[in-house]
Amino acid sequence: MASPVVGLARIEQRGYARFDAVYIPGGHAPMQDLLKSPALGRLLADFHQRNKTTALVCHGPIALLSTLPDAAGFVAKLEAGATPATPKWIYRGYQMTVISNQEEEQAKALLGGGQMRFYPQTALQRAGAKFSSNATPWTGHVVVDRELIAGQNRASALAVGSGWLSG
């Protein structure tokens, strides 16, 4: 049986118009490559322009940075500990959520993890996002603004899916 998962290169070949929505899951993978992927940036920019649903959860919203004119440069400044200038960004002013700095700190303490170069919440705020958080860490929190559906953490995943399916 063929997998329903399709890679970015294949999506680009088929044409973005054939797809109705995109879902970006959490985990640390978006922190490594999706946030500065030109291919993902083109897809998200097209979906933004066409007002197509973009659903993201936990660390997934960091991938929205891929739409920055110089995503790699912006990320490099964050990684160096510098404060990049607020760029021109298609999601500037959008309400959204992502795993919070508080949750990242708690996870690091609990799991004994290493030092992250920057936190997704801080990065999105520096790019121009209006961050929204839950009242209690690790509880579900979903923010919908225009075509974006963002869930703060894994407890938000079902609600992101419900918002996507009902929206």
Side-chain angles (χ1 to χ4, degrees):
M1 183 160 97
S3 172
V5 177
V6 180
L8 288 172
R10 187 73 158 153
I11 290 170
E12 208 162 24
Q13 286 174 346
R14 289 182 178 179
Y16 301 142
R18 294 185 59 181
F19 299 89
D20 296 324
V22 64
Y23 173 74
I24 299 175
H28 280 208
M31 293 288 296
Q32 298 304 309
D33 55 2
L34 294 182
L35 75 166
K36 49 189 175 183
S37 165
L40 181 61
R42 289 188 298 273
L43 169 73
L44 293 174
D46 183 86
F47 272 47
H48 170 77
Q49 181 182 359
R50 296 173 192 261
N51 200 33
K52 288 185 174 185
T53 300
T54 300
L56 317 99
V57 70
C58 199
H59 289 83
I62 196 71
L64 297 171
L65 294 180
S66 66
T67 63
L68 289 170
D70 181 15
F74 186 83
V75 170
K77 287 181 182 174
L78 290 170
E79 289 175 340
T83 302
T86 304
K88 183 175 180 181
W89 186 38
I90 61 175
Y91 298 108
R92 184 182 210 161
Y94 270 61
Q95 287 281 336
M96 64 181 72
T97 193
V98 65
I99 189 166
S100 70
N101 291 352
Q102 181 182 17
E103 290 165 330
E104 285 284 11
E105 287 292 328
Q106 289 175 356
K108 181 175 134 182
L110 180 67
L111 301 174
Q115 184 67 28
M116 289 182 71
R117 293 182 193 148
F118 60 88
Y119 289 148
Q121 174 189 334
T122 301
L124 290 172
Q125 287 174 307
R126 289 193 175 144
K130 293 182 180 176
F131 177 74
S132 173
S133 186
N134 54 19
T136 304
W138 304 110
T139 58
H141 181 64
V142 175
V143 176
V144 178
D145 190 352
R146 291 160 267 190
E147 80 277 12
L148 286 185
I149 302 170
Q152 184 166 329
N153 52 44
R154 65 183 181 189
S156 311
L158 278 175
V160 167
S162 296
W164 182 357
L165 295 173
S166 65

